[in-house]
Amino acid sequence: MPQLPSAVEARPQQFFVFKLPQGKLMRYQVPRSDFDLEANQYAVMKLAQHNMRFHVYAEASYNFNELARLFVLQNRLSEAKWYFLQSSLISRQQNNYRLTFSNLCQLGILKSEIGDFVLGQQDLLEARDMAAAKGWLIGVIEAEQKLSQIRQKRMASLRSDLRYAETASID
């Protein structure tokens, strides 16, 4: 019977070493399509339904926030507004102040995009007050910047209405 070779004799004499190329790797970003957004929306919706069914409210709040962001990308603003409100409601109940602050800021901007400047300002003022109460200086600055954006948009829309009224009276 032939004797088996020992482990020392059976080991390879040279190891192949795999080396990565030394260039910069370029990140390829897949363009977003309607199909991708709808697939993401479906997946997040199923996850939110699961979390709500089993009373995992903290995760469901983040799911609603993600759904709202997806709806904003699809320019479905009224649905996005509803999901931001739901996320904000749950995050308040869970005392998740960071998410509540984020939701209020996004909701304020969203409402101003819809054209409801007064409600958008109210949400941003509430976000600013919350950040001031918690001592979040960066949050206060962020809310103030967004408030100034809303004021500028409101003034621009009022100016365009005035210009339209001027041109309408000439005709």
Side-chain angles (χ1 to χ4, degrees), residues 10-38:
R11 72 178 177 168
Q13 297 300 325
Q14 290 183 335
F15 291 105
F16 294 106
V17 178
F18 180 72
K19 292 185 178 182
L20 291 173
Q22 293 296 326
K24 283 189 173 181
L25 296 176
M26 300 299 290
R27 180 183 293 181
Y28 179 73
Q29 188 169 7
V30 178
R32 290 197 172 205
S33 67
D34 290 337
F35 175 75
D36 293 334
L37 291 174
E38 287 179 16

Side-chain angles (χ1 to χ4, degrees), residues 22-74:
Q22 293 296 326
K24 283 189 173 181
L25 296 176
M26 300 299 290
R27 180 183 293 181
Y28 179 73
Q29 188 169 7
V30 178
R32 290 197 172 205
S33 67
D34 290 337
F35 175 75
D36 293 334
L37 291 174
E38 287 179 16
N40 286 340
Q41 174 191 335
Y42 179 78
V44 174
M45 181 69 77
K46 284 294 183 187
L47 191 58
Q49 288 172 346
H50 173 80
N51 287 331
M52 288 300 289
R53 182 179 305 125
F54 292 106
H55 307 287
V56 186
Y57 296 121
E59 288 297 318
S61 180
Y62 284 101
N63 296 143
F64 286 141
N65 184 293
E66 183 63 26
L67 275 171
R69 289 174 189 241
L70 289 171
F71 282 124
V72 167
L73 289 174
Q74 293 176 354

Side-chain angles (χ1 to χ4, degrees), residues 26-156:
M26 300 299 290
R27 180 183 293 181
Y28 179 73
Q29 188 169 7
V30 178
R32 290 197 172 205
S33 67
D34 290 337
F35 175 75
D36 293 334
L37 291 174
E38 287 179 16
N40 286 340
Q41 174 191 335
Y42 179 78
V44 174
M45 181 69 77
K46 284 294 183 187
L47 191 58
Q49 288 172 346
H50 173 80
N51 287 331
M52 288 300 289
R53 182 179 305 125
F54 292 106
H55 307 287
V56 186
Y57 296 121
E59 288 297 318
S61 180
Y62 284 101
N63 296 143
F64 286 141
N65 184 293
E66 183 63 26
L67 275 171
R69 289 174 189 241
L70 289 171
F71 282 124
V72 167
L73 289 174
Q74 293 176 354
N75 205 23
R76 296 164 62 182
L77 301 181
S78 62
E79 291 165 301
K81 177 181 164 183
W82 190 85
Y83 282 108
F84 276 132
L85 287 170
Q86 295 304 312
S87 177
S88 181
L89 176 71
I90 295 171
S91 64
R92 285 176 200 264
Q93 292 170 350
Q94 298 291 315
N95 295 327
N96 187 346
Y97 299 111
R98 293 276 182 192
L99 184 59
T100 304
F101 174 78
S102 174
N103 286 333
L104 286 172
C105 287
Q106 292 170 353
L107 199 54
I109 294 295
L110 182 67
K111 286 179 181 178
S112 71
E113 289 291 324
I114 292 173
D116 198 353
F117 296 107
V118 175
L119 289 178
Q121 277 185 323
Q122 287 176 355
D123 288 335
L124 287 171
L125 288 172
E126 184 180 351
R128 184 191 64 189
D129 293 343
M130 178 184 292
K134 296 293 178 188
W136 302 336
L137 182 60
I138 294 174
V140 172
I141 294 169
E142 179 183 345
E144 284 293 332
Q145 288 174 344
K146 291 183 181 189
L147 273 168
S148 68
Q149 287 175 1
I150 287 181
R151 289 181 187 125
Q152 289 172 354
K153 284 181 186 177
R154 187 175 188 181
M155 294 305 286

